[in-house]
Amino acid sequence: MPLVEGKAVESAKLYLCVVCARQALSVCQACLSAHYCSRDCQLLDWLEQHAGLCDDLKAACKSPGNPQDDAAQAVAAGVKTQVEAIDQEEFSEQQKHALTIWKRSVRALWTLSADDDLRDLAELGPLLALTEPGQNGNGKSRLEMKVCGMRPVLVTAPHSMCLHRDGQDPHVVEKHTADVAQGIAETLGGSYLGWSDSERRKTELLWSLSKRLAAERWIEEIRDPKCLDPRNRDPNYLSTQELAVNRWFQQMVGAVNNWRSRLGPDTAMLHVDVHGCRDPPGTPSHLTIGIGAMCLQADSKAD
């Protein structure tokens, strides 16, 4: 399928470029789903993934029957197709080096020999292979997007497992946040974005085994998370350079742009980011709502 020129986007400030997350100025004329800030970004996206995605996105909004039902199906299918296609990652030399160190650290876990260790290692092996592309794995996505309805509501639970943070200790798991987030998405008829069950279990085993290995080697506390998959990074600690290739961020951008393409550029949307804490916060309520993004949006419309 030939690369098509993008056309001007109305209310362009409401869209983000799917490649670099800058303000979008054009949209693919074929599927009307992928938005770009420049011709260069459009070419890059076409070569990397959009060539195999464009027809599916185009077909998602063309189905006979009840118009309202078709609209709901188009929104759901479009969101799911777009986010599931974001499965390729590029790494800098530094990140590739981090992956090499991680794999060496994981191999060191196989020096553990207690019965519990051997049982966990037997479970860990297949989980490691799930997300590895190539001959030894099927390249399964480490993320999970569940579309529960057509409403433009995205519920996320980024800290449902341990994650890397630059210059910081690993972010510990916030228990039950994935279940809570999925329940909210189902109740509101929106979509849920989180880590897959297999990835959460893999991370749980890696963290537990690495702590046992550290104890065996008389290391009091783990502060260097070498056994955690370096590709699983805290979305709140991403650098600007990572945004174009980070799966979590790109899936959020893909969902937002798809809703605006299907439902209109002025469609109101809601993002609910679920977090947890072990002790009640120092406020009368256990529900804390961040309104920073809402204020920025209101300010931009006022201007």
Side-chain angles (χ1 to χ4, degrees), residues 141-158:
S141 177
R142 301 188 307 278
L143 298 180
E144 177 183 35
M145 172 70 83
K146 288 186 177 180
V147 179
C148 307
M150 69 171 291
R151 287 183 174 176
V153 177
L154 180 62
V155 188
T156 54

Side-chain angles (χ1 to χ4, degrees), residues 87-140:
D87 200 40
Q88 298 297 321
E89 289 176 296
E90 295 180 359
F91 297 99
S92 65
E93 290 303 317
Q94 182 178 1
Q95 290 169 324
K96 290 178 182 178
H97 180 63
L99 277 172
T100 300
I101 293 176
W102 171 63
K103 290 179 180 179
R104 291 174 185 170
S105 300
V106 170
R107 284 196 292 269
L109 296 176
W110 264 260
T111 62
L112 294 167
S113 57
D115 289 343
D116 290 345
D117 300 332
L118 294 175
R119 184 164 48 251
D120 286 349
L121 288 168
E123 182 183 359
L124 176 63
L127 293 174
L128 288 170
L130 274 178
T131 55
E132 295 304 313
Q135 185 176 0
N136 297 323
N138 60 15
K140 182 178 179 181

Side-chain angles (χ1 to χ4, degrees), residues 159 171-177 274-283 285-288:
H159 296 151
H171 194 298
V172 297
V173 61
E174 295 173 352
K175 294 183 178 181
H176 311 302
T177 53
V274 178
H275 292 269
C277 60
R278 298 189 179 187
D279 299 310
T283 62
S285 172
H286 287 191
L287 174 63
T288 302

Side-chain angles (χ1 to χ4, degrees), residues 173-188:
V173 61
E174 295 173 352
K175 294 183 178 181
H176 311 302
T177 53
D179 294 332
V180 171
Q182 290 185 56
I184 294 174
E186 291 170 0
T187 300
L188 298 180

Side-chain angles (χ1 to χ4, degrees), residues 3 63 210 234 289:
L3 179 65
S63 59
S210 63
D234 188 339
I289 300 176

Side-chain angles (χ1 to χ4, degrees), residues 230-283:
R231 295 169 293 185
N232 297 336
R233 298 172 53 73
D234 188 339
N236 296 331
Y237 276 74
L238 298 177
S239 66
T240 303
Q241 291 77 11
E242 291 180 83
L243 298 182
V245 294
N246 179 264
R247 289 188 184 183
W248 186 282
F249 181 80
Q250 285 299 313
Q251 290 204 353
M252 291 183 64
V253 171
V256 168
N257 284 340
N258 188 276
W259 281 324
R260 285 174 175 160
S261 295
R262 302 286 182 255
L263 303 176
D266 296 323
T267 298
M269 287 176 282
L270 176 64
H271 175 210
V272 180
D273 199 33
V274 178
H275 292 269
C277 60
R278 298 189 179 187
D279 299 310
T283 62

